Amino acid sequence: MLGVVQKKGNPLELCGRLVVYAKIRPSVNPETGRLPFASMVRNGLLVVKGEFKANDTFKHFMQHELGESMNDGISEMIEHIKEQGGEIPEGMDPEAFRERLDELSNMEVIPVPAKIIFCDTEDEILQEDADIYYIGEFSGLSQAHLCITSLPIFYQAQYREQQASIEQKYINEILSQIEGNEAVDIPKLKASGEFLPGEGTLNTFIGNLLELLGGRVVPYLLYQVSDEAEYQVCIRRFYDFMKPYPNPSDIDAIDRTIQILRKETDNKKAQAKLELLCEKVSALYHEEFERIPGLQKELEALE
């Protein structure tokens, strides 16, 4: 649009960090000295950087308010609801709760203004961990400055719109779990992948991941999926759910190990490996980083 080119990043998944740059052509009558921002150009490049990543999203608010116990606190509430037969406890109004979640999710973040940064080359700019846009080449600093300071406003609007959609999905996922959709009823589970909570991913999951993997996902994939076609549908759902997990090779290893155990149910080595893999995935998700080296060492010993 208008000659703006995104050099890095996904327009459908903005990361909240922005770099915009323009090239300034050498001029016979340079504006240097007459404009206050002339000194902001280096090697013919005018570059600005903006940080718009929301730190006060609803999820961050929950983490701040409940700290490390956020998942445990919500899990206890869900467990209490399930103990009550799936009904909302007395005094809890689902609509009022939804309104409160919506209210919290709409907390505004004070905008962070874009700032001038200095880069010597275009390659150096492209090394930035951000969504990067090139707005073109200009003969005058005035035009370049106007354009380069306007794009961050549009970017921030688009980024907030995407974040609002993510927040709503997160709220809906919490509500679906609170309203009892997480209750397990194995006979009714089909190849739709309903052995996982809701329709979300790891980003919207609340609770203890090790309990989900060891108490629900693995048993279902091992013993409840009757044929290979059904297994492939369910494992695909599992891959989709775990997509935000930073180490996909661990998920591949869980898949391979489950397939071994489906054929060799008494394979002790595979059983131990699967247990360790679930522990490692859970530890990384819950940021229990101190456990990772020990778990990895035990996994390597089983190779």
Side-chain angles (χ1 to χ4, degrees):
M1 181 184 71
L2 300 178
V4 176
V5 178
Q6 184 164 9
K7 292 281 190 172
K8 187 176 181 179
N10 182 350
L12 300 180
E13 296 181 7
L14 301 177
C15 72
R17 292 178 299 275
L18 167 73
V19 170
V20 186
Y21 71 99
K23 294 179 181 178
I24 309 300
R25 289 193 294 268
S27 175
V28 177
N29 298 308
E31 296 175 285
T32 304
R34 294 194 295 111
L35 294 176
F37 41 78
S39 61
M40 298 175 181
V41 177
R42 177 177 293 179
N43 287 351
L45 295 170
L46 177 61
V47 190
V48 300
K49 184 176 183 178
E51 175 68 53
F52 305 109
K53 193 170 179 62
N55 292 318
D56 291 328
T57 62
F58 172 66
K59 190 170 185 177
H60 283 101
F61 173 83
M62 295 285 282
Q63 291 171 336
H64 175 73
E65 291 298 310
L66 299 177
E68 297 293 333
S69 64
M70 179 186 76
N71 288 333
D72 293 337
I74 297 176
S75 295
E76 289 174 6
M77 180 167 57
I78 293 172
E79 283 302 313
H80 177 70
I81 292 170
K82 290 195 291 186
E83 288 172 4
Q84 300 297 317
E87 298 295 330
I88 300 296
E90 183 178 355
M92 180 183 287
D93 180 356
E95 286 307 312
F97 188 63
R98 178 184 292 275
E99 289 176 6
R100 180 57 178 156
L101 293 184
D102 286 336
E103 177 185 332
L104 292 174
S105 73
N106 289 327
M107 290 187 300
E108 288 296 321
V109 180
I110 298 174
V112 179
K115 301 176 181 179
I116 294 289
I117 63 172
F118 296 102
C119 297
D120 293 316
T121 66
E122 191 170 0
D123 287 339
E124 183 180 343
I125 295 172
L126 295 175
Q127 295 305 311
E128 291 283 340
D129 181 19
D131 295 315
I132 301 176
Y133 295 84
Y134 171 59
I135 61 171
E137 190 173 29
F138 295 83
S139 60
L141 275 171
S142 300
Q143 301 91 299
H145 186 267
L146 178 63
C147 186
I148 210 169
T149 54
S150 299
L151 187 59
I153 298 173
F154 178 73
Y155 176 90
Q156 186 180 19
Q158 291 296 312
Y159 174 68
R160 286 192 176 191
E161 183 70 16
Q162 290 183 7
Q163 291 303 298
S165 176
I166 293 171
E167 290 292 286
Q168 190 57 55
K169 289 179 181 178
Y170 181 68
I171 289 172
N172 290 340
E173 194 67 22
I174 290 177
L175 290 171
S176 71
Q177 293 183 48
I178 287 176
E179 289 165 359
N181 291 342
E182 196 178 41
V184 181
D185 188 353
I186 292 294
K188 292 183 180 180
L189 294 179
K190 303 298 181 183
S192 61
E194 293 175 6
F195 58 97
L196 287 165
E199 298 180 354
T201 68
L202 197 59
N203 283 338
T204 58
F205 173 67
I206 53 176
N208 187 302
L209 184 59
L210 183 58
E211 290 180 2
L212 176 69
L213 295 176
R216 184 167 181 165
V217 174
V218 169
Y220 182 73
L221 292 173
L222 275 175
Y223 308 118
Q224 303 300 327
V225 180
S226 58
D227 58 52
E228 185 60 24
E230 186 182 5
Y231 177 82
Q232 290 303 323
V233 172
C234 290
I235 198 66
R236 189 73 263 153
R237 168 69 182 112
F238 178 54
Y239 271 100
D240 290 342
F241 178 81
M242 295 299 298
K243 190 174 182 180
Y245 181 73
N247 191 359
S249 63
D250 290 339
I251 310 306
D252 292 337
I254 288 176
D255 179 13
R256 290 194 301 270
T257 309
I258 287 176
Q259 294 202 55
I260 291 173
L261 284 170
R262 292 179 74 219
K263 299 174 182 177
E264 307 170 24
T265 56
D266 293 328
N267 189 321
K268 302 301 182 184
K269 182 178 177 180
Q271 290 174 2
K273 183 175 182 180
L274 184 56
E275 182 178 342
L276 287 169
L277 283 167
C278 290
E279 289 190 37
K280 179 187 176 185
V281 169
S282 178
L284 188 56
Y285 169 72
H286 291 293
E287 299 184 354
E288 300 169 349
F289 302 120
E290 70 282 357
R291 299 186 58 211
I292 302 298
L295 291 168
Q296 185 61 43
K297 187 175 181 180
E298 291 186 64
L299 282 167
E300 291 171 357
L302 291 174
E303 294 298 335

